[in-house]
Amino acid sequence: MNIAPQRVVTLHYVLSDAQGQVLDDSRARGKPLEYLHGHDNIMAGLERALAGHQPGDRLDVTLPPQDAYGERNEQLVQSFGRSAFPQQALKPGMRFQTPGDDGPQVVTVLEVSDDEVLVDTNHPLAGQTLSYALEVLSVREANRAELAKGHPLPDDVTPSQVEDRKHP
């Protein structure tokens, strides 16, 4: 079965930066990526590259910043009052997940003073060219509940647990 919209794809990947440094390796973590193709679960550039492939296929994909996590935007480096951060022991390099307009976002602390905290709300990989070594493990039709939710269901959840049920 080929990768196409409305299908659940399971794959292993190795993510590297432009210098070849491995940033993430799903096989090393022992957890393949599973996503619903055509539902914006992964970057559009990866979806385009994977379309039409089938289990057993291996491919290398390089994404420029605009097709990955976007270009860096210096306007996303902002200063906030120290009181906005309940944690007392802040230091540069710390990362927090906060709610954003488009869902959760990662905030990186750049500088800390007595009164202010300078943070970067760009994605940590923004502005970088990224390379993926991909191996397609499986492709299957999504079930109705997965299509309704927009993502694959965890192994311990059955479709009947999330599907709408009509009551008499």
Side-chain angles (χ1 to χ4, degrees):
M1 179 177 291
N2 289 351
I3 297 174
Q6 320 305 5
R7 293 185 177 161
V8 174
V9 179
T10 304
L11 56 85
H12 271 301
Y13 67 91
V14 176
L15 167 62
S16 303
D17 63 16
Q19 292 72 41
Q21 179 182 344
V22 173
L23 304 175
D24 193 11
D25 183 340
S26 66
R27 193 177 303 280
R29 284 185 288 107
K31 184 166 173 56
L33 172 68
E34 186 176 59
Y35 78 96
L36 181 56
H37 197 81
H39 286 256
D40 298 323
N41 291 170
I42 63 172
M43 289 178 268
L46 282 180
E47 276 204 346
R48 284 191 301 274
L50 285 161
H53 285 276
Q54 59 189 4
D57 285 356
R58 293 175 181 258
L59 60 150
D60 294 318
V61 178
T62 299
L63 298 177
Q66 63 271 21
D67 290 336
Y69 292 100
E71 298 288 350
R72 278 196 51 78
N73 179 349
E74 293 308 317
Q75 292 179 348
L76 296 178
V77 175
Q78 303 170 345
S79 196
F80 293 93
R82 181 68 177 83
S83 62
F85 296 84
Q87 185 171 348
Q88 294 300 315
L90 287 177
K91 56 186 173 185
M94 291 178 84
R95 290 192 174 138
F96 299 93
Q97 185 169 324
T98 63
D101 294 339
D102 297 323
Q105 68 180 15
V106 175
V107 174
T108 304
V109 175
L110 299 177
E111 296 175 10
V112 180
S113 72
D114 289 339
D115 300 328
E116 292 189 341
V117 178
L118 184 66
V119 299
D120 185 351
T121 60
N122 283 288
H123 188 282
L125 298 177
Q128 294 191 39
T129 296
L130 301 174
S131 295
Y132 289 84
L134 305 163
E135 178 186 3
V136 180
L137 302 175
S138 66
V139 180
R140 66 171 174 79
E141 293 291 339
N143 61 49
R144 192 176 95 175
E146 290 171 321
L147 293 173
K149 291 289 187 183
H151 59 80
L153 294 176
D155 290 338
D156 61 345
V157 175
T158 63
S160 63
Q161 289 175 295
V162 295
E163 287 179 351
D164 294 333
R165 297 184 190 148
K166 295 183 179 178
H167 297 282

